[in-house]
Amino acid sequence: MAEDHKMTYADPWMLPETKGFWEALNDGKLVIRTCNDCGRGHHFPRAMCPHCYSSNLEWKESDGTGTIYSFTAQQVKGGGKYVYAYVEIADRVRAITNIVDCDPDALQIGQKVKAAFRPSASGQNILVFTPA
Ligand SMILES: [Zn+2]
């Protein structure tokens, strides 16, 4: 069994349109920016809906589950593999993230995953996923 590399995370940029996302992560929740006009979600959070350009948006709490849309694993010098992935967190809404606490060689596209959190340098929760 291969092991995932234990990654350290830099602090994220805190922008007004992403603040709610980061605050929710610190509460152990995953929220998705969702448009009240066209009904579609998007990620990363933006000030305007990328589908219809409405600014009538709200945060919708996710159940924290997702599906691996695509991924790659990179061997890290010193041991382990680092897994980059696109995880579908809602219908057609995908997040670029890492899969942690897993056997990188056993991951599969379409596999169910669940949200997990890792602290950045300053303690801000960073969204990652682990096999469900
Ligand atoms: Zn919209």
Side-chain angles (χ1 to χ4, degrees), residues 35-40 49-54 57:
C35 178
N36 286 318
D37 289 329
C38 74
R40 292 185 67 184
C49 172
H51 308 293
C52 75
Y53 308 112
S54 170
L57 306 171

Side-chain angles (χ1 to χ4, degrees), residues 5 29 33 58 84 87-88 107 109 114 116-117 126:
H5 176 70
K29 297 175 184 166
R33 202 70 169 146
E58 69 172 321
Y84 302 90
V87 169
E88 189 153 297
L107 293 175
I109 289 172
K114 62 185 178 191
F117 309 95
I126 302 294

Side-chain angles (χ1 to χ4, degrees), residues 98-119:
N98 300 130
I99 310 292
V100 302
D101 296 335
C102 65
D103 176 353
D105 294 338
L107 293 175
Q108 307 227 341
I109 289 172
Q111 183 173 343
K112 299 290 182 199
V113 289
K114 62 185 178 191
F117 309 95
R118 292 291 180 270

Side-chain angles (χ1 to χ4, degrees), residues 9-106:
Y9 295 93
D11 291 328
W13 281 356
M14 215 48 79
L15 301 171
E17 60 268 30
T18 63
K19 190 168 181 262
F21 171 76
W22 297 114
E23 288 174 347
L25 291 185
N26 282 344
D27 291 335
K29 297 175 184 166
L30 171 59
V31 293
I32 297 171
R33 202 70 169 146
T34 304
C35 178
N36 286 318
D37 289 329
C38 74
R40 292 185 67 184
H42 66 270
H43 188 81
F44 227 74
R46 300 171 184 94
M48 293 174 62
C49 172
H51 308 293
C52 75
Y53 308 112
S54 170
S55 57
N56 182 14
L57 306 171
E58 69 172 321
W59 297 108
K60 287 212 172 147
E61 189 174 340
S62 158
D63 66 2
T65 62
T67 304
I68 297 175
Y69 177 78
S70 184
F71 75 97
T72 188
Q74 176 185 9
Q75 186 71 49
V76 178
K77 183 178 179 184
K81 289 183 178 179
Y82 180 69
V83 180
Y84 302 90
Y86 260 116
V87 169
E88 189 153 297
I89 54 176
D91 183 34
R92 295 175 291 170
V93 179
R94 298 179 190 123
I96 296 175
T97 185
N98 300 130
I99 310 292
V100 302
D101 296 335
C102 65
D103 176 353
D105 294 338

